[in-house]
Amino acid sequence: MVYRPARPIRSSEITPKHLWLDRRSLMAGAAAAAGATLLPAGAMAAGERAKLSTTPSKYSTDLKPTSLESVTGYNNYYEFGTGKEDPAQNAGTLTTSPWTVKIDGMVDKPGDYALEDIVPATVEERIYRFRCVEAWSMVIPWNGFELSSLLNKVGVQSGAKFVAFETLVRPEEMPGQRGFFQPLNWPYVEGLRLDEAMHPLTILANGLYGEELPNQNGAPLRLVVPWKYGFKSIKSIVRISLTDKQPATTWNMAGPREYGFYSNVNPKVDHPRWSQAEERVIGAGLLGGTQPTLMFNGYEEEVASLYAGMDLKANY
Ligand SMILES: Nc1nc2c(c(=O)[nH]1)N[C@H]1C(S)=C(S)[C@@H](COP(=O)(O)O)O[C@H]1N2
Ligand SMILES: [Mo]
């Protein structure tokens, strides 16, 4: 992966300031007129994101979230380019509605599910630590629901041992999938062991900061697995498959000695090219801004039992 210093960009750099201000005041007016927090999609100005109905969760950390500007301006989403600012610049035009997720493999009710049939009317707020394998971190207030609730709805068949995920392939709208230099093979694919997928900390997110996900963060639906390196949290999911074989995963195929299937955050297992003992805190300023990395990214109490007896150096 590319490892570059941070320069979080401001929303005023993504959108000309007068447009941005217009949208804000338009939204404020519309919200006041409607007297509600939930606006119909038709009331949205272009580029605005719908407010979500959310409820708090006991799984949230009480850490202060990273600014919205950094969460939405400093991203990894190689389908839109390899630079940290490329996703915010290029993902705006991705069509996220209508959206269908194919659920197949070892399930009782396979099918092509419309996004609306998957996402609950009220979603949870999960303020999670987020640790990229590149040794930077954020605290992100996600909105979403437990992956287990969806898997239970479609019915996991006995014999299923893994869950595989796939991101959209749409070169017309994803510049990173066009042209001569392709940094990865598409589709971007990821996977979890079934018990990891069923863990209550594992969520499908459709929002952050109480609003629909920005495209650069993986709209309209992405995985979040807070105790694993960020690349496991696959964006813009179009397929979820239940299988009895460990699925191939994108970064493992790209660099098998550097990126394993498990990719649990572990300060004692270094990346071959850098230490994982510390992390750069995004948004904490140019000076200072590093902190020790915690085992399982601070979720050791909740998830360590999933790996009891496993050699975490061998299973990196
Ligand atoms: N489809 C897809 N999913 C992806 C990526 C990607 O390039 N493509 N990057 C991963 C990496 S390396 C990280 S750190 C996180 C970043 O999520 P964020 O931009 O919302 O912080 O998304 C992950 N999911
Ligand atoms: Mo990452």
mmCIF file of all heavy atoms in Angstrom, residues 19 22-32 34 36-53 96-97 210-213:
data_model
loop_
_atom_site.group_PDB
_atom_site.id
_atom_site.type_symbol
_atom_site.label_atom_id
_atom_site.label_comp_id
_atom_site.label_asym_id
_atom_site.label_seq_id
_atom_site.Cartn_x
_atom_site.Cartn_y
_atom_site.Cartn_z
ATOM 1 N N LEU A 19 -21.338 27.033 -3.321
ATOM 2 C CA LEU A 19 -22.279 25.918 -3.489
ATOM 3 C C LEU A 19 -22.524 25.233 -2.152
ATOM 4 O O LEU A 19 -23.634 24.900 -1.775
ATOM 5 C CB LEU A 19 -21.721 24.884 -4.471
ATOM 6 C CG LEU A 19 -21.725 25.293 -5.937
ATOM 7 C CD1 LEU A 19 -21.101 24.197 -6.779
ATOM 8 C CD2 LEU A 19 -23.164 25.551 -6.395
ATOM 9 N N ASP A 22 -24.700 27.337 0.015
ATOM 10 C CA ASP A 22 -26.067 27.292 -0.489
ATOM 11 C C ASP A 22 -26.783 26.029 -0.026
ATOM 12 O O ASP A 22 -27.912 26.066 0.415
ATOM 13 C CB ASP A 22 -26.085 27.311 -2.024
ATOM 14 C CG ASP A 22 -25.877 28.725 -2.543
ATOM 15 O OD1 ASP A 22 -25.788 29.634 -1.695
ATOM 16 O OD2 ASP A 22 -25.788 28.894 -3.754
ATOM 17 N N ARG A 23 -26.072 24.909 -0.161
ATOM 18 C CA ARG A 23 -26.689 23.631 0.221
ATOM 19 C C ARG A 23 -27.029 23.615 1.693
ATOM 20 O O ARG A 23 -28.070 23.146 2.107
ATOM 21 C CB ARG A 23 -25.722 22.488 -0.075
ATOM 22 C CG ARG A 23 -25.636 22.179 -1.540
ATOM 23 C CD ARG A 23 -24.679 21.043 -1.711
ATOM 24 N NE ARG A 23 -24.269 20.956 -3.106
ATOM 25 C CZ ARG A 23 -23.180 20.337 -3.511
ATOM 26 N NH1 ARG A 23 -22.405 19.771 -2.620
ATOM 27 N NH2 ARG A 23 -22.880 20.287 -4.772
ATOM 28 N N ARG A 24 -26.099 24.122 2.495
ATOM 29 C CA ARG A 24 -26.328 24.142 3.947
ATOM 30 C C ARG A 24 -27.589 24.921 4.275
ATOM 31 O O ARG A 24 -28.427 24.456 5.031
ATOM 32 C CB ARG A 24 -25.126 24.776 4.663
ATOM 33 C CG ARG A 24 -23.889 23.925 4.662
ATOM 34 C CD ARG A 24 -23.960 22.843 5.716
ATOM 35 N NE ARG A 24 -23.325 21.630 5.176
ATOM 36 C CZ ARG A 24 -23.279 20.482 5.800
ATOM 37 N NH1 ARG A 24 -23.814 20.346 6.983
ATOM 38 N NH2 ARG A 24 -22.719 19.439 5.245
ATOM 39 N N SER A 25 -27.710 26.125 3.717
ATOM 40 C CA SER A 25 -28.859 26.957 4.092
ATOM 41 C C SER A 25 -30.139 26.356 3.522
ATOM 42 O O SER A 25 -31.183 26.374 4.164
ATOM 43 C CB SER A 25 -28.665 28.403 3.618
ATOM 44 O OG SER A 25 -28.224 28.425 2.291
ATOM 45 N N LEU A 26 -30.029 25.764 2.329
ATOM 46 C CA LEU A 26 -31.197 25.111 1.729
ATOM 47 C C LEU A 26 -31.683 23.973 2.620
ATOM 48 O O LEU A 26 -32.878 23.836 2.886
ATOM 49 C CB LEU A 26 -30.775 24.557 0.363
ATOM 50 C CG LEU A 26 -31.876 24.262 -0.657
ATOM 51 C CD1 LEU A 26 -31.308 24.567 -2.055
ATOM 52 C CD2 LEU A 26 -32.328 22.825 -0.601
ATOM 53 N N MET A 27 -30.726 23.194 3.113
ATOM 54 C CA MET A 27 -31.082 22.067 3.974
ATOM 55 C C MET A 27 -31.706 22.545 5.274
ATOM 56 O O MET A 27 -32.673 21.987 5.755
ATOM 57 C CB MET A 27 -29.834 21.238 4.299
ATOM 58 C CG MET A 27 -29.318 20.450 3.146
ATOM 59 S SD MET A 27 -30.582 19.353 2.524
ATOM 60 C CE MET A 27 -30.720 18.234 3.919
ATOM 61 N N ALA A 28 -31.128 23.587 5.844
ATOM 62 C CA ALA A 28 -31.644 24.114 7.106
ATOM 63 C C ALA A 28 -33.094 24.552 6.905
ATOM 64 O O ALA A 28 -33.965 24.236 7.710
ATOM 65 C CB ALA A 28 -30.777 25.282 7.577
ATOM 66 N N GLY A 29 -33.355 25.236 5.792
ATOM 67 C CA GLY A 29 -34.705 25.687 5.487
ATOM 68 C C GLY A 29 -35.651 24.524 5.306
ATOM 69 O O GLY A 29 -36.745 24.497 5.874
ATOM 70 N N ALA A 30 -35.211 23.537 4.546
ATOM 71 C CA ALA A 30 -36.057 22.371 4.273
ATOM 72 C C ALA A 30 -36.366 21.624 5.564
ATOM 73 O O ALA A 30 -37.498 21.193 5.798
ATOM 74 C CB ALA A 30 -35.374 21.451 3.267
ATOM 75 N N ALA A 31 -35.360 21.484 6.428
ATOM 76 C CA ALA A 31 -35.550 20.753 7.683
ATOM 77 C C ALA A 31 -36.546 21.498 8.571
ATOM 78 O O ALA A 31 -37.435 20.896 9.166
ATOM 79 C CB ALA A 31 -34.210 20.580 8.398
ATOM 80 N N ALA A 32 -36.415 22.822 8.612
ATOM 81 C CA ALA A 32 -37.318 23.620 9.432
ATOM 82 C C ALA A 32 -38.748 23.496 8.907
ATOM 83 O O ALA A 32 -39.683 23.295 9.677
ATOM 84 C CB ALA A 32 -36.870 25.077 9.421
ATOM 85 N N ALA A 34 -40.076 21.075 7.142
ATOM 86 C CA ALA A 34 -40.607 19.728 7.343
ATOM 87 C C ALA A 34 -40.813 19.439 8.826
ATOM 88 O O ALA A 34 -41.617 18.587 9.189
ATOM 89 C CB ALA A 34 -39.658 18.693 6.737
ATOM 90 N N ALA A 36 -38.926 17.931 10.722
ATOM 91 C CA ALA A 36 -38.539 16.543 10.976
ATOM 92 C C ALA A 36 -37.072 16.373 10.646
ATOM 93 O O ALA A 36 -36.484 17.198 9.947
ATOM 94 C CB ALA A 36 -39.372 15.603 10.115
ATOM 95 N N THR A 37 -36.465 15.323 11.162
ATOM 96 C CA THR A 37 -35.063 15.067 10.844
ATOM 97 C C THR A 37 -34.937 14.165 9.631
ATOM 98 O O THR A 37 -33.908 14.119 8.998
ATOM 99 C CB THR A 37 -34.334 14.397 12.026
ATOM 100 O OG1 THR A 37 -35.099 13.260 12.413
ATOM 101 C CG2 THR A 37 -34.201 15.342 13.193
ATOM 102 N N LEU A 38 -36.001 13.449 9.320
ATOM 103 C CA LEU A 38 -35.919 12.506 8.200
ATOM 104 C C LEU A 38 -36.532 13.143 6.956
ATOM 105 O O LEU A 38 -37.735 13.292 6.844
ATOM 106 C CB LEU A 38 -36.663 11.225 8.552
ATOM 107 C CG LEU A 38 -36.274 10.028 7.696
ATOM 108 C CD1 LEU A 38 -35.022 9.374 8.255
ATOM 109 C CD2 LEU A 38 -37.403 9.026 7.642
ATOM 110 N N LEU A 39 -35.654 13.541 6.030
ATOM 111 C CA LEU A 39 -36.137 14.205 4.825
ATOM 112 C C LEU A 39 -36.321 13.199 3.702
ATOM 113 O O LEU A 39 -35.498 12.315 3.526
ATOM 114 C CB LEU A 39 -35.122 15.263 4.381
ATOM 115 C CG LEU A 39 -35.069 16.517 5.253
ATOM 116 C CD1 LEU A 39 -33.806 17.305 4.950
ATOM 117 C CD2 LEU A 39 -36.293 17.375 5.013
ATOM 118 N N PRO A 40 -37.400 13.320 2.925
ATOM 119 C CA PRO A 40 -37.538 12.451 1.759
ATOM 120 C C PRO A 40 -36.411 12.728 0.772
ATOM 121 O O PRO A 40 -35.913 13.848 0.709
ATOM 122 C CB PRO A 40 -38.890 12.842 1.172
ATOM 123 C CG PRO A 40 -39.193 14.191 1.723
ATOM 124 C CD PRO A 40 -38.507 14.276 3.051
ATOM 125 N N ALA A 41 -36.038 11.715 0.015
ATOM 126 C CA ALA A 41 -34.905 11.837 -0.900
ATOM 127 C C ALA A 41 -35.111 12.998 -1.864
ATOM 128 O O ALA A 41 -34.170 13.673 -2.242
ATOM 129 C CB ALA A 41 -34.720 10.536 -1.671
ATOM 130 N N GLY A 42 -36.353 13.263 -2.248
ATOM 131 C CA GLY A 42 -36.643 14.328 -3.194
ATOM 132 C C GLY A 42 -36.276 15.714 -2.672
ATOM 133 O O GLY A 42 -36.085 16.642 -3.444
ATOM 134 N N ALA A 43 -36.177 15.847 -1.353
ATOM 135 C CA ALA A 43 -35.866 17.146 -0.767
ATOM 136 C C ALA A 43 -34.364 17.414 -0.723
ATOM 137 O O ALA A 43 -33.937 18.496 -0.363
ATOM 138 C CB ALA A 43 -36.440 17.233 0.636
ATOM 139 N N MET A 44 -33.576 16.435 -1.106
ATOM 140 C CA MET A 44 -32.124 16.581 -1.034
ATOM 141 C C MET A 44 -31.605 17.437 -2.183
ATOM 142 O O MET A 44 -31.934 17.183 -3.335
ATOM 143 C CB MET A 44 -31.444 15.207 -1.156
ATOM 144 C CG MET A 44 -31.724 14.268 -0.017
ATOM 145 S SD MET A 44 -30.920 14.837 1.475
ATOM 146 C CE MET A 44 -32.349 14.968 2.530
ATOM 147 N N ALA A 45 -30.787 18.395 -1.871
ATOM 148 C CA ALA A 45 -30.035 19.071 -2.926
ATOM 149 C C ALA A 45 -28.927 18.121 -3.367
ATOM 150 O O ALA A 45 -28.522 17.239 -2.601
ATOM 151 C CB ALA A 45 -29.437 20.355 -2.390
ATOM 152 N N ALA A 46 -28.476 18.286 -4.626
ATOM 153 C CA ALA A 46 -27.427 17.393 -5.136
ATOM 154 C C ALA A 46 -26.242 17.401 -4.177
ATOM 155 O O ALA A 46 -25.803 18.456 -3.724
ATOM 156 C CB ALA A 46 -26.992 17.857 -6.519
ATOM 157 N N GLY A 47 -25.734 16.246 -3.851
ATOM 158 C CA GLY A 47 -24.556 16.165 -2.995
ATOM 159 C C GLY A 47 -24.884 16.120 -1.515
ATOM 160 O O GLY A 47 -24.018 15.813 -0.709
ATOM 161 N N GLU A 48 -26.121 16.449 -1.143
ATOM 162 C CA GLU A 48 -26.484 16.363 0.274
ATOM 163 C C GLU A 48 -26.817 14.921 0.616
ATOM 164 O O GLU A 48 -27.286 14.164 -0.221
ATOM 165 C CB GLU A 48 -27.695 17.240 0.571
ATOM 166 C CG GLU A 48 -27.333 18.646 0.976
ATOM 167 C CD GLU A 48 -26.449 18.723 2.227
ATOM 168 O OE1 GLU A 48 -26.380 17.746 2.997
ATOM 169 O OE2 GLU A 48 -25.839 19.775 2.426
ATOM 170 N N ARG A 49 -26.603 14.578 1.858
ATOM 171 C CA ARG A 49 -26.891 13.209 2.281
ATOM 172 C C ARG A 49 -28.053 13.187 3.258
ATOM 173 O O ARG A 49 -28.150 14.054 4.136
ATOM 174 C CB ARG A 49 -25.631 12.603 2.899
ATOM 175 C CG ARG A 49 -24.631 12.182 1.837
ATOM 176 C CD ARG A 49 -23.312 11.772 2.421
ATOM 177 N NE ARG A 49 -22.549 12.904 2.910
ATOM 178 C CZ ARG A 49 -22.268 13.134 4.165
ATOM 179 N NH1 ARG A 49 -22.649 12.280 5.094
ATOM 180 N NH2 ARG A 49 -21.581 14.195 4.518
ATOM 181 N N ALA A 50 -28.907 12.180 3.132
ATOM 182 C CA ALA A 50 -30.097 12.090 3.975
ATOM 183 C C ALA A 50 -29.704 11.805 5.421
ATOM 184 O O ALA A 50 -28.776 11.050 5.691
ATOM 185 C CB ALA A 50 -31.012 10.983 3.451
ATOM 186 N N LYS A 51 -30.439 12.429 6.325
ATOM 187 C CA LYS A 51 -30.288 12.122 7.750
ATOM 188 C C LYS A 51 -30.864 10.739 8.020
ATOM 189 O O LYS A 51 -31.853 10.348 7.410
ATOM 190 C CB LYS A 51 -31.060 13.138 8.590
ATOM 191 C CG LYS A 51 -30.524 14.542 8.515
ATOM 192 C CD LYS A 51 -29.720 14.872 9.760
ATOM 193 C CE LYS A 51 -29.277 16.333 9.774
ATOM 194 N NZ LYS A 51 -28.429 16.656 8.597
ATOM 195 N N LEU A 52 -30.254 10.029 8.951
ATOM 196 C CA LEU A 52 -30.737 8.699 9.301
ATOM 197 C C LEU A 52 -31.401 8.738 10.670
ATOM 198 O O LEU A 52 -31.063 9.580 11.506
ATOM 199 C CB LEU A 52 -29.569 7.714 9.332
ATOM 200 C CG LEU A 52 -28.777 7.546 8.033
ATOM 201 C CD1 LEU A 52 -27.539 6.698 8.277
ATOM 202 C CD2 LEU A 52 -29.653 6.934 6.952
ATOM 203 N N SER A 53 -32.325 7.816 10.870
ATOM 204 C CA SER A 53 -32.889 7.620 12.195
ATOM 205 C C SER A 53 -31.959 6.657 12.936
ATOM 206 O O SER A 53 -31.739 5.537 12.487
ATOM 207 C CB SER A 53 -34.303 7.034 12.042
ATOM 208 O OG SER A 53 -34.717 6.469 13.259
ATOM 209 N N THR A 96 -25.543 5.212 -6.606
ATOM 210 C CA THR A 96 -25.753 4.282 -5.487
ATOM 211 C C THR A 96 -27.225 3.927 -5.308
ATOM 212 O O THR A 96 -27.577 3.214 -4.374
ATOM 213 C CB THR A 96 -25.210 4.883 -4.185
ATOM 214 O OG1 THR A 96 -25.842 6.141 -3.963
ATOM 215 C CG2 THR A 96 -23.708 5.084 -4.252
ATOM 216 N N SER A 97 -28.066 4.436 -6.185
ATOM 217 C CA SER A 97 -29.490 4.117 -6.120
ATOM 218 C C SER A 97 -30.040 3.999 -7.535
ATOM 219 O O SER A 97 -29.864 4.930 -8.318
ATOM 220 C CB SER A 97 -30.220 5.236 -5.369
ATOM 221 O OG SER A 97 -31.603 4.988 -5.367
ATOM 222 N N GLY A 210 -24.513 10.167 11.481
ATOM 223 C CA GLY A 210 -25.964 10.325 11.426
ATOM 224 C C GLY A 210 -26.533 10.600 10.047
ATOM 225 O O GLY A 210 -27.727 10.882 9.928
ATOM 226 N N GLU A 211 -25.687 10.522 9.020
ATOM 227 C CA GLU A 211 -26.166 10.726 7.655
ATOM 228 C C GLU A 211 -25.726 9.555 6.783
ATOM 229 O O GLU A 211 -24.786 8.842 7.126
ATOM 230 C CB GLU A 211 -25.592 12.027 7.071
ATOM 231 C CG GLU A 211 -26.040 13.261 7.828
ATOM 232 C CD GLU A 211 -25.530 14.557 7.196
ATOM 233 O OE1 GLU A 211 -24.720 14.496 6.257
ATOM 234 O OE2 GLU A 211 -25.981 15.622 7.657
ATOM 235 N N GLU A 212 -26.422 9.390 5.646
ATOM 236 C CA GLU A 212 -26.032 8.343 4.692
ATOM 237 C C GLU A 212 -24.537 8.415 4.404
ATOM 238 O O GLU A 212 -23.959 9.500 4.377
ATOM 239 C CB GLU A 212 -26.783 8.548 3.369
ATOM 240 C CG GLU A 212 -28.222 8.102 3.409
ATOM 241 C CD GLU A 212 -28.928 8.332 2.077
ATOM 242 O OE1 GLU A 212 -28.383 9.056 1.211
ATOM 243 O OE2 GLU A 212 -30.026 7.785 1.914
ATOM 244 N N LEU A 213 -23.923 7.273 4.151
ATOM 245 C CA LEU A 213 -22.491 7.230 3.849
ATOM 246 C C LEU A 213 -22.166 8.106 2.650
ATOM 247 O O LEU A 213 -22.843 8.029 1.622
ATOM 248 C CB LEU A 213 -22.071 5.803 3.462
ATOM 249 C CG LEU A 213 -21.741 4.781 4.525
ATOM 250 C CD1 LEU A 213 -21.306 3.492 3.826
ATOM 251 C CD2 LEU A 213 -20.654 5.255 5.473
#
